[in-house]
Amino acid sequence: MSRDPAIEAVEVSRTYELDGVSVPALRGVSLTIGAGDYVALIGPSGSGKSTLMHLLGGLDRPSGGRLVIGGREVGTLSAPELARLRNETIGFVFQAFHLLPRTSAVDNVALPLVYRGVGARQRRERAAAMLGRVGLGHRLHHRPNQLSGGEQQRVAIARALVTDPTVLLADEPTGNLDSTTGAAVLELLERLNVESGVALVMVTHDAEVAARARRRIAMRDGVVVADSADGGADA
Amino acid sequence: MRLAEAWRVAWDALRANRMRSALTMLGVIIGVASVVLLVAIGTGTKQRVEQQVEGLGSNLLLVVPGRLDVGSAPALSPLTLQDVDAVGRVVGDPNRVAVTVASGATVRAGNREDFTTVQGVLETTPTVFAREVARGRYLTGSDVDTGRRVAVLGNSVARVLFPDREAVGQQINVAGVRFRVIGVFTPLGQSLGVDRDDEVHIPVTAAQRLYGTQRVDAIAVKAPDRERIDELGERIVAELNGRHPGTEFSAVTQEQILGVLGDILGILTGVLAAIAGISLLVGGVGVSNIMLVSVRERTREIGLRKAVGARPRDIGVQFLLEAVLLTSVGGLTGMALGVGGALLVAALSPIPAAVTWWSLALAFGVSAAVGIVFGVVPAQRAGRLDPVVALRAE
Ligand SMILES: Nc1ncnc2c1ncn2[C@@H]1O[C@H](COP(=O)(O)OP(=O)(O)O)[C@@H](O)[C@H]1O
Ligand SMILES: [Mg+2]
């Protein structure tokens, strides 16, 4: 839909070395994520979804192929450059929330701004505003252990979006939540996708959830077996 | 701003594990406290020795057979009273020349006795060494010339032998020979654990007869002129070499004595500091260890920080600061304990202690450096963690 894709992967592969044995987790994946996309990534466990998400977010480097994030070729970037690219263009939401314990919601949300060099006061202002947008304006100074699971994931979503990224990568974001709470978190993600135009790539096991996405990518054994953007049938 | 965050995180981490942090600091605390305390004692002792050597009187030149050196054994003296006269001629004033022939002896008065140093001396001793008599009088030239059996007691000796009587005018018995007490010295106090008032002066002539010898152990000269003191020493040594071919003599000034004593104390202080340094090293290894534990415990936090944009350096600095903070707080605590200990030692024991600024600066610098040195490896390990692996950690 837009001219410059947010992420472009061409024949990307990723092989893990485990005790001298090569485990091919991805075997040549090609896809593009456009600005504002809403993509559901589906496939059986072990098919390489998380591996792909890590690569798309610049958290890991491909073993082969070409990966371009935000116009920058990952293979050519140094570790600090890649860190900066993550900070500026990617927001991660994990199944396990990964909030810092003993740290207030607002400081958790402000964390990515620390590494962007934003001053303390502005960090807090922006983090508080973001928490307001995810419906937690009244929980600024609560610590993770004082929040429910759904609230914790909302804090994590606020943290992912506080830097205004172009892509939000959510790996089974509702996997640790009951269905009602999960549905609310999902609605929040969809709303933010529409409101702020951040591309949303979400791993899910739930066919109903996948059906709501504008695009579905199905994986199996480290390859993409179906991508609805190609006009192919859903897996 | 990243640095401020790193400080804050480091501080939070230490506070979150108060007990563990305190135990880890213990090695550094003990190391720094002992450095400060031992250096204070070394410095205090050195200062006191200097004061006392200077307190002997100014422009002193000590003439002894052999070499004045660390570790050289004292030679048996070939010097006699004729040599003393010759030295007096070289100096140009016999009143500036003092001698001693010393021996340990038991001194009795009635049923009381004291083992002390009995020194045979000339009447010039008070002039050369700035000694004062509190009561009675000192030896005279005629006492020395006639070998009269008279004695001047150090203050402690007087108190031991005559606890409830005036010593002056009493009879004492030195190695079986009767002497009359004619004076008592003004107290000098302790020096390096030695009671300087534990001595008895008698005429050198009487002492030689008592010990059955013609020798004198050492000659002391109060040089008339500070500038030419070294030259005077050389002339004296040349004169003595002429009189006793084949024997070596040394003429040493207070500066040289201080230099030698300073060397000894310096070595001593160095050894003590090295022992304290080992304790710091052990403390540092503990810091390294606990930092590795900290990195392991916070692996997921490291992964998350990297996911949101922390560079390897940001993570490394964070853990390095934590290590430095740990050792610096330990260092400050150790400094406080060391200073307190030094004040206590100085107040409650005869051991002198003087806290010096450089030892505090050194101790703090070293403790911070220990943090850097022993924090680098854990910090690097944290900085290099693969974020994907880190996020998956338990
Ligand atoms: N760090 C790793 N080391 C070795 N093998 C791995 C590692 N991470 C994932 N794998 C393997 O790669 C394959 C894909 O894993 P993953 O991407 O987590 O799948 P999914 O998220 O779809 O369940 C699996 O076979 C998994 O065992
Ligand atoms: Mg997965």
Side-chain angles (χ1 to χ4, degrees):
Chain A
M1 53 173 99
S2 79
R3 302 152 288 128
D4 277 340
I7 303 174
E8 186 177 10
V10 182
E11 283 301 309
V12 164
S13 63
R14 177 69 169 94
T15 305
Y16 294 109
E17 300 293 333
L18 200 71
D19 303 327
V21 183
S22 294
V23 182
L26 288 184
R27 299 180 297 167
V29 169
S30 300
L31 54 80
T32 59
I33 307 295
D37 266 3
Y38 176 12
V39 181
L41 190 56
I42 54 180
S45 178
S47 57
K49 304 182 297 294
S50 294
T51 304
L52 180 60
M53 292 290 267
H54 294 146
L55 288 173
L56 296 181
L59 211 52
D60 195 9
R61 293 168 189 270
S63 313
R66 214 170 81 92
L67 178 62
V68 180
I69 302 173
R72 309 201 60 184
E73 162 101 52
V74 168
T76 65
L77 299 179
S78 66
E81 286 169 336
L82 198 55
R84 180 161 174 199
L85 182 64
R86 283 197 296 273
N87 182 264
E88 288 175 350
T89 60
I90 307 292
F92 284 101
V93 176
F94 304 95
Q95 181 177 350
F97 318 144
H98 287 315
L99 298 178
L100 299 187
R102 299 189 305 274
T103 306
S104 66
V106 70
D107 283 339
N108 261 295
V109 173
L111 190 64
L113 298 176
V114 167
Y115 298 109
R116 188 176 277 204
V118 177
R121 165 181 281 188
Q122 218 197 335
R123 282 204 304 261
R124 289 224 161 177
E125 277 170 13
R126 285 171 65 174
M130 200 60 227
L131 276 168
R133 283 185 64 191
V134 301
L136 287 178
H138 58 304
R139 292 276 188 273
L140 298 186
H141 301 292
H142 283 56
R143 306 201 166 178
N145 60 5
Q146 299 167 324
L147 297 170
S148 72
E151 286 174 326
Q152 289 187 50
Q153 194 60 304
R154 283 167 188 269
V155 173
I157 291 168
R159 178 182 63 196
L161 290 178
V162 75
T163 50
D164 263 324
T166 45
V167 181
L168 184 61
L169 299 170
D171 195 341
E172 302 189 40
T174 62
N176 281 10
L177 304 174
D178 63 66
S179 53
T180 329
T181 322
V185 164
L186 194 65
E187 253 170 59
L188 173 65
L189 286 171
E190 288 175 347
R191 198 189 84 216
L192 291 165
N193 168 244
V194 172
E195 276 179 14
S196 61
V198 61
L200 173 61
V201 180
M202 181 167 61
V203 173
T204 179
H205 285 301
D206 189 328
E208 266 180 57
V209 172
R212 287 160 61 166
R214 279 195 294 277
R215 175 180 168 199
R216 277 157 300 283
I217 299 177
M219 295 190 66
R220 184 181 299 270
D221 292 336
V223 290
V224 172
V225 291
D227 186 340
S228 63
D230 301 334
D234 285 357
Chain B
M1 268 153 294
R2 293 175 192 198
L3 206 60
E5 164 80 359
W7 274 117
R8 197 187 59 71
V9 170
W11 185 246
D12 282 354
L14 293 196
R15 284 200 329 182
N17 295 298
R18 278 196 195 93
M19 192 66 193
R20 188 172 85 188
S21 305
L23 287 175
T24 308
M25 285 176 198
L26 209 57
V28 177
I29 292 174
I30 292 172
V32 167
S34 23
V35 167
V36 171
L37 180 61
L38 294 175
V39 169
I41 289 175
T43 310
T45 306
K46 195 169 168 183
Q47 283 175 1
R48 181 172 293 183
V49 169
E50 281 170 5
Q51 278 168 14
Q52 280 164 349
V53 171
E54 273 151 20
L56 289 175
S58 53
N59 294 359
L60 267 189
L61 202 55
L62 295 180
V63 183
V64 290
R67 225 195 285 264
L68 188 100
D69 233 334
V70 182
S72 77
L76 191 66
S77 174
L79 294 171
T80 65
L81 285 174
Q82 282 75 48
D83 295 316
V84 176
D85 290 339
V87 169
R89 283 193 296 278
V90 173
V91 177
D93 179 359
N95 284 324
R96 290 184 170 274
V97 182
V99 304
T100 174
V101 49
S103 179
T106 302
V107 180
R108 290 196 179 78
N111 56 3
R112 296 182 166 274
E113 62 176 50
D114 188 19
F115 187 80
T116 183
T117 308
V118 176
Q119 294 212 44
V121 295
L122 294 174
E123 75 281 6
T124 52
T125 300
T127 325
V128 175
F129 286 108
R131 297 277 325 245
E132 278 173 26
V133 169
R135 302 190 298 277
R137 65 170 178 86
Y138 197 69
L139 308 173
T140 61
S142 89
D143 292 335
V144 173
D145 290 343
T146 59
R148 201 169 282 146
R149 294 199 299 271
V150 290
V152 179
L153 305 188
N155 206 267
S156 328
V157 179
R159 266 190 291 115
V160 170
L161 295 184
F162 305 101
D164 40 22
R165 274 188 295 166
E166 174 51 56
V168 176
Q170 304 292 333
Q171 297 285 330
I172 59 170
N173 184 304
V174 180
V177 179
R178 283 194 346 172
F179 281 73
R180 187 165 51 86
V181 178
I182 57 168
V184 175
F185 281 120
T186 311
L188 286 174
Q190 298 251 329
S191 157
L192 301 173
V194 175
D195 183 356
R196 293 186 61 202
D197 298 315
D198 188 15
E199 61 174 8
V200 172
H201 283 199
I202 61 176
V204 62
T205 43
Q208 285 179 334
R209 204 179 316 139
L210 199 64
Y211 303 146
T213 182
Q214 293 296 309
R215 78 184 153 89
V216 300
D217 292 333
I219 300 174
V221 174
K222 188 174 175 67
D225 175 353
R226 191 180 191 87
E227 272 68 54
R228 278 183 295 173
I229 192 164
D230 289 328
E231 186 214 315
L232 179 63
E234 282 163 24
R235 293 213 327 266
I236 291 171
V237 167
E239 169 72 21
L240 292 176
N241 279 335
R243 298 171 63 87
H244 300 277
T247 309
E248 238 183 316
F249 293 93
S250 320
V252 294
T253 61
Q254 276 152 307
E255 278 82 22
Q256 287 167 316
I257 295 173
L258 283 177
V260 172
L261 288 174
D263 286 352
I264 296 171
L265 285 172
I267 292 168
L268 219 66
T269 308
V271 169
L272 294 176
I275 293 169
I278 290 171
S279 149
L280 267 177
L281 203 72
V282 173
V285 172
V287 169
S288 213
N289 193 35
I290 218 68
M291 289 310 300
L292 288 172
V293 171
S294 181
V295 169
R296 177 164 302 180
E297 278 178 354
R298 286 152 68 199
T299 300
R300 291 207 320 177
E301 174 187 330
I302 294 167
L304 185 274
R305 285 178 183 271
K306 287 195 157 188
V308 301
R311 301 167 300 178
R313 254 191 64 188
D314 296 322
I315 302 293
V317 166
Q318 176 188 322
F319 280 91
L320 197 59
L321 281 183
E322 190 176 320
V324 171
L325 202 62
L326 198 63
T327 56
S328 303
V329 172
L332 286 174
T333 312
M335 277 161 69
L337 286 179
V339 171
L343 293 178
L344 221 65
V345 162
L348 300 183
S349 81
I351 302 167
V355 175
T356 49
W357 287 111
W358 67 261
S359 78
L360 293 183
L362 180 79
F364 186 73
V366 166
S367 52
V370 164
I372 293 174
V373 169
F374 289 91
V376 153
V377 169
Q380 271 183 348
R381 185 169 294 187
R384 288 188 190 141
L385 273 180
D386 177 343
V388 172
V389 175
L391 278 169
R392 226 199 317 258
E394 288 311 305

